Amino acid sequence: MRNLIIFLRRYFNFFMFLLLEVICIVLVFRNNDFQKTAYLNSANNISARLYNRYNNVQYYFHLKATNDSLVNENARLHNMLRSSYDSVTLDNFVKEDTIRTYSTDTTRKVVGIELRRYLYHSAKVVNNTVNNPINYITIHRGSANGLKPNMGVIGPSGVVGIVRSVSENYAVVLSLLSKGRNFGFSARLSHSREMGTVRWYGGDAGYALMEDVPKSVRLVRGDTVVTSGYSALFPENIPIGYVESYSLPDKGSTAYSIRIKLATNFFNLQYVYVVDNMLKDEQKSLEDSTYRLIK
């Protein structure tokens, strides 16, 4: 009993001391503007830091939604580019997905039509290989979203590959990183506008070769290699890579072998855009019928 009384007395003394200290601090801050300001500033700084950390945590958990929003916005902007349209001048021409040009006089007559040629679909990468002789990328978009085999695929930085097979909700893309003499991309040098073909022969996933460029062409290191527009898969001027070095394979060669650093980082590919050439079937049908007539 005596120990309990001693303990309660000490506890009461400690409580009274703490209470008096709090009262003194309150009186000092209430009657002294300097201490009050210092206290409020300190409290505001602590609160600001706590709010900042809270916002950083919230931002982290909302990154996926932010990325999805940015990808969709990029797809929308791609679809608005003038390079996604073909110019035609036809009277009484009415079609969806067109940009019309009107005369400047009072009649406001339609004098030009830009018909949509390319439509871009954003897609999330769910599987990707880079170390095989032939590499594939699986994306979370399929026939339900209008995807079909033989559509071009690009990333935020440049060319990625070609759609090979499609299910209702997924598609498998044959990556640019696929070794094969018969698999290549029609390309053009930005500086000289000379044509060639880009192929990957295995090895480093960051580099490929551009071939069939005549040795008479003046090459520039760092020049951008872009799509030529001759293929029905891609619009022109999509980056493929950048000239790093070049050489002639042997003394009798008439064409350079150009080593290019690829524009796309295949090790960190998260989103892509599938390119739907809406006039591809018409072009291919006409070309095939013409070839049959020649034969």
Side-chain angles (χ1 to χ4, degrees):
M1 186 68 180
R2 182 182 177 189
N3 291 337
L4 179 61
I5 294 173
I6 294 172
F7 173 77
L8 290 175
R9 185 177 295 170
R10 288 179 179 175
Y11 181 77
F12 178 76
N13 291 336
F14 172 77
F15 176 77
M16 291 302 296
F17 174 78
L18 185 61
L19 180 61
L20 289 172
E21 224 178 62
V22 170
I23 293 171
C24 291
I25 292 173
V26 170
L27 290 173
V28 168
F29 283 132
R30 180 174 293 177
N31 298 295
N32 193 308
D33 290 337
F34 177 78
Q35 277 82 359
K36 184 191 293 185
T37 302
Y39 167 75
L40 292 175
N41 286 339
S42 298
N44 288 337
N45 286 334
I46 293 172
S47 299
R49 289 178 183 177
L50 290 174
Y51 280 123
N52 186 50
R53 290 185 179 181
Y54 173 77
N55 287 333
N56 286 338
V57 171
Q58 289 287 94
Y59 176 76
Y60 176 80
F61 284 109
H62 286 86
L63 276 179
K64 183 182 183 301
T66 302
N67 284 339
D68 290 344
S69 176
L70 289 173
V71 169
N72 291 332
E73 177 65 9
N74 283 337
R76 187 183 71 82
L77 293 175
H78 274 300
N79 288 324
M80 292 175 62
L81 290 173
R82 285 296 176 96
S83 59
S84 296
Y85 293 81
D86 275 347
S87 295
V88 294
T89 52
L90 299 174
D91 292 332
N92 302 321
F93 186 88
V94 179
K95 188 174 178 66
E96 292 183 0
D97 262 342
T98 59
I99 296 177
R100 294 171 176 80
T101 304
Y102 298 91
S103 62
T104 56
D105 57 24
T106 55
T107 64
R108 298 293 292 168
K109 181 181 177 181
V110 176
V111 295
I113 296 288
E114 292 188 19
L115 173 65
R116 176 177 291 285
R117 181 176 182 185
Y118 297 105
L119 184 64
Y120 295 80
H121 305 270
S122 63
K124 178 77 171 69
V125 174
V126 296
N127 192 21
N128 181 23
T129 65
V130 296
N131 298 316
N132 301 323
I134 298 178
N135 291 287
Y136 291 97
I137 301 164
T138 305
I139 59 176
H140 191 10
R141 281 285 188 274
S143 58
N145 309 103
L147 270 61
K148 296 180 288 188
N150 297 319
M151 285 183 172
V153 181
I154 65 175
S157 302
V159 170
V160 170
I162 300 170
V163 174
R164 272 296 178 251
S165 56
V166 177
S167 67
E168 185 177 0
N169 297 299
Y170 293 91
V172 174
V173 178
L174 181 60
S175 171
L176 186 156
L177 303 178
S178 294
K179 187 177 179 180
R181 183 69 191 177
N182 296 323
F183 183 67
F185 295 82
S186 177
R188 176 173 55 78
L189 292 165
S190 292
H191 182 74
S192 65
R193 302 189 67 81
E194 193 68 38
M195 305 290 296
T197 303
V198 171
R199 294 186 178 92
W200 185 73
Y201 287 101
D204 196 328
Y207 295 87
L209 291 179
M210 183 176 183
E211 302 173 321
D212 306 323
V213 177
K215 66 178 183 180
S216 58
V217 174
R218 181 175 175 271
L219 298 177
V220 178
R221 285 185 175 85
D223 192 9
T224 305
V225 179
V226 298
T227 53
S228 65
Y230 285 3
S231 166
L233 299 175
F234 299 98
E236 62 178 337
N237 296 321
I238 302 296
I240 301 177
Y242 309 95
V243 175
E244 183 172 269
S245 61
Y246 49 88
S247 62
L248 294 171
D250 54 63
K251 292 183 179 180
S253 297
T254 59
Y256 282 112
S257 177
I258 305 173
R259 188 171 191 256
I260 67 170
K261 180 174 177 57
L262 294 175
T264 296
N265 180 0
F266 286 89
F267 292 97
N268 188 28
L269 197 58
Q270 300 181 42
Y271 290 91
V272 295
Y273 303 95
V274 181
V275 185
D276 182 3
N277 182 350
M278 303 176 73
L279 303 180
K280 181 179 66 177
D281 292 342
E282 178 184 343
Q283 178 183 342
K284 189 175 186 306
S285 176
L286 178 62
E287 291 174 347
D288 289 346
S289 63
T290 303
Y291 295 150
R292 285 194 294 269
L293 287 173
I294 295 174
K295 290 180 178 180

